[in-house]
Amino acid sequence: MKKTVRIFWRIFLFGLLSFIGVILMANFGVFGKMPPLSELENPSILQASEVYAVDGTLMGKYYRERGNRSSVKYRDISPHVINALVATEDERFYNHSGIDFRSTMRAVFTLGRQGGGSTITQQLALNLFNERASNKALRVIQKLKEWIIAVKLEKNFTKEEIITLYLNAVPFGNNIYGIRNAARTFFQKEPDRLTIEEAALLVGMLKGNTIYNPLRNPKAALERRNVVIGQMEVNNKITHEEAVRVKALPINLKYKKLDESTGYAPYFREVLRNEVKEILKEVKKPSGGHYDIYDDGLRIYTTINPVMQQYAEEAMAKQMSALQKSVNARWNVKNGAIWKGHDNVLERAMKDSERWRNMADDGYSDKEIKASFDVKVPMKVFAWNSHREVDTLMTPIDSIRYHKQMEQASFMAMDPITGEVLAWVGGIDYKTYKFDHVNLNTKRQVGSTIKPFLYTQALEERGFTPETECENSAQNFGGNRWVPAGKRCPGGIISMANALAYSKNCATAYIMKQVGPQQFVDFLERIQIPTPVKPFPSICLGTCDLSLYEMLWGYTYFAGRGFSTKPYYISRIEDRNGNVIIRFDNTENRKEVVSEVTAYTMTRMMQGTVDVGTAKGMRNRVGVTEMGGKTGTTDDNADAWFIGYTPEILAGSWVGFDDPFIRNQGDGSSMARPICEFFLKKVFDDKKLGYDRGAKFVKPAEMENEINSADIIVSDKDPDPAAEGEDQGVGNPDDYGYYGGDEIGPESKPVQEDDKKPVTKDTTVKKSPAKNDDDSKPIGSAKEESKKKKGFLRKIFGKKKDN
């Protein structure tokens, strides 16, 4: 044998052995950790967590960066997408075992000028387990690792499974990951409905999602789309005639990017996000570590009813748009006098603004930044119209004044028996005003809505009855003659039932004296009001700060037959595979706090408010047989409240300004009540929801032979005209209409177009919306096979490749 031949074989064998050695070293992690077999069998694609309503409607998502994915099944991907992908990215996909040596050698000899050599399986390996290395030497090592992973993936998964995993993981730019999100974002449709030209456009973007982005570079995107269509023709996926036809079509986008504000109940979802994050700190994965709300693809099932949520948002928009017209018409708002003496509020708002922070980061002085706030610039501001915004030219300081002069509101509805939260509206517009006014930590003075608690205690512990005569005069507490500030006490006697119906402050002060401030504080704790309240006599008129959430919590015992039930809104949380990781049972949060007799007596007394009192005629307008309620107004009309309930629904609303020096122009009856009234009327008018107009509060057995005097003793006329600051009501049923607000509609918008069954009151989530009746063969399943995969892919694909 010639010497040159021997040298050749030595070099060849040395190179071959070296290559095998490098492969083995890479496989055993010498060049960096390789995913174990268990991880290959259960690949962890970063995936957004999804929030579902009680009927299975997708409400929204939580994600960050690469986590914004929604997985789909193989059968739910258009064949045009599969054909375009294989024809363009990997023509021999169905014939190789992870590595296409022919394409690899072509890429090496042409230096990539005729395309790369990576197969779809290799690209999947890169997307699942690596970030592309920028260093060329490291990229060579990374390529070897991709080969190894690709071979292992091909060994463990079917071709359909690999394609499905790839299309669920691949990026399309603009923080859009996965074919489902791409189809929804660019074309507002599900991936199984994509046409040839739409599929070709999306697949074309995979070569460079910035260069071929149809929004940024429509010409390049069109050319790339047509290249993909050409490849589909070459590979006999479409006919020549089809190729010619679709190449001639323009790009027709319906681009609308999903963000975290999109969906139902945005205020609620933000509160939910924070609570779930706290819950997950106490829950560990089977593999160790804690779940991540942004990356682990959790499914969070809530008690929110999407139809009732929309009714609540409609009610708020109708009332608040009308009230804002009144605010804008005030002389001190028009001429800016309302801001006199409040420069500190504007100064603080300026320094908290994004404009101030950005300019400070760029090195501008405080003086320069402040001067910029007096220069008019084009901007979008919130407005009560169908788009909830308007383009305008305004100085930044004027935009601060403008937005702070917007009247705010909140609303919550729940089931008073089970505690399920049915609707939650934390403000007038989440996009502009992120601050939630419902949750436990947002507290305002509650005014007269606290009075039913005091009256309950008087019935329960002091032997009062609805007919008990109360002094409607100033009271002496500890040697100090106390009269509610700015009010008058006309004197005389008034029954307890009339005092509640017409919200008499002085009579309430009399009852407070009989009960005692400290004893009343103890009672608030007993009925599970979580916020500590100090024992001042004035708290009987609601001078304490409490949240709408805990006020509704307190009111649950009226319809709840003496049981206080904590509001809750999470039913269960599942992992990405549908395994329940935590389930919530609210029965432990239900506690008997007063007798059933007392609770029933209070419901009858509180019907006086909605029949003839400060919310006169509301029960008849809603059209229900029995109902209770209470208005609330604080000093100078800073806060307006209404809380009302039927045997099946409890609802409450608050209206006011974030800066309390801007006052309401009305009381709880005229400002807050219409929101609850509109909502309840819509709910009872909607037969599909299944609520009963004729429902009655359950009368305790021991009262069956009694005529409850609260039904008959409330006067249909106010025994004494209300003092200044008391809940006066409108006084005439004809005046209880709305201010004529525009039909703006709800803030919530569907995340996607779903074919959903009508929501019914007793709807429960009996199966995951991500599952079908044949869910034994989920994502990636192309046909029935007898063997099942383990772990993740058993849940996702439901089939296994025969080895």
Side-chain angles (χ1 to χ4, degrees), residues 635-687:
D635 281 345
D636 298 321
N637 293 347
D639 302 276
W641 293 77
F642 180 80
I643 302 176
Y645 56 90
T646 72
E648 298 174 303
I649 311 174
L650 169 62
S653 56
W654 165 87
V655 174
F657 290 88
D658 285 336
D659 295 291
F661 67 85
I662 308 177
R663 305 299 192 185
N664 291 322
Q665 285 189 319
D667 57 18
S669 181
S670 61
M671 309 286 285
R673 173 203 50 79
I675 298 174
C676 288
E677 184 171 318
F678 181 91
F679 168 80
L680 291 171
K681 193 171 188 309
K682 291 281 286 188
V683 167
F684 282 105
D685 284 345
D686 189 338
K687 304 299 183 186

Side-chain angles (χ1 to χ4, degrees), residues 3 48 52 88 124-125 205 224 233 510 609 637 726:
K3 184 177 180 180
Y52 292 98
T88 308
L124 172 61
M205 291 175 66
R224 177 63 184 164
E233 179 188 354
Y510 168 81
T609 299
N637 293 347
E726 288 186 320

Side-chain angles (χ1 to χ4, degrees), residues 316-335:
M316 181 172 288
K318 186 176 184 68
Q319 173 70 347
M320 298 313 296
S321 61
L323 292 180
Q324 194 60 44
K325 292 177 182 179
S326 175
V327 173
N328 295 342
R330 299 183 197 176
W331 69 270
N332 60 349
V333 171
K334 284 185 173 182
N335 63 18

Side-chain angles (χ1 to χ4, degrees), residues 96 205 236 244 247 328 355 435 459 493 563 601 632 738:
H96 63 66
M205 291 175 66
N236 299 316
V244 171
K247 281 183 178 180
N328 295 342
R355 173 184 292 274
F435 187 72
L459 290 174
I493 299 297
F563 282 82
T601 302
Y738 300 94

Side-chain angles (χ1 to χ4, degrees), residues 598-615:
T598 298
Y600 180 78
T601 302
M602 284 301 301
T603 65
R604 302 296 74 234
M605 286 176 63
M606 293 174 74
Q607 185 158 306
T609 299
V610 294
D611 277 352
V612 298
T614 54

Side-chain angles (χ1 to χ4, degrees), residues 294-364:
Y294 300 109
D295 296 336
D296 282 330
L298 303 175
R299 300 171 188 169
I300 304 160
Y301 294 92
T302 74
T303 62
I304 295 294
N305 185 308
V307 174
M308 296 172 77
Q309 177 68 29
Q310 288 191 291
Y311 290 161
E313 292 175 7
E314 287 176 17
M316 181 172 288
K318 186 176 184 68
Q319 173 70 347
M320 298 313 296
S321 61
L323 292 180
Q324 194 60 44
K325 292 177 182 179
S326 175
V327 173
N328 295 342
R330 299 183 197 176
W331 69 270
N332 60 349
V333 171
K334 284 185 173 182
N335 63 18
I338 198 169
W339 290 100
K340 187 176 181 179
H342 299 290
D343 291 341
N344 61 320
V345 176
L346 298 175
E347 182 87 14
R348 186 168 58 250
M350 278 195 293
K351 292 185 176 180
D352 287 342
S353 69
E354 186 177 353
R355 173 184 292 274
W356 188 287
R357 289 194 297 270
N358 290 341
M359 292 186 71
D361 290 342
D362 291 340
Y364 288 92

Side-chain angles (χ1 to χ4, degrees), residues 565-582:
T565 306
K566 182 180 180 179
Y568 81 105
Y569 37 78
I570 308 173
S571 57
R572 71 182 187 278
I573 301 175
E574 296 178 353
D575 66 16
R576 70 175 68 208
N577 302 323
N579 301 310
V580 177
I581 61 175
I582 186 166

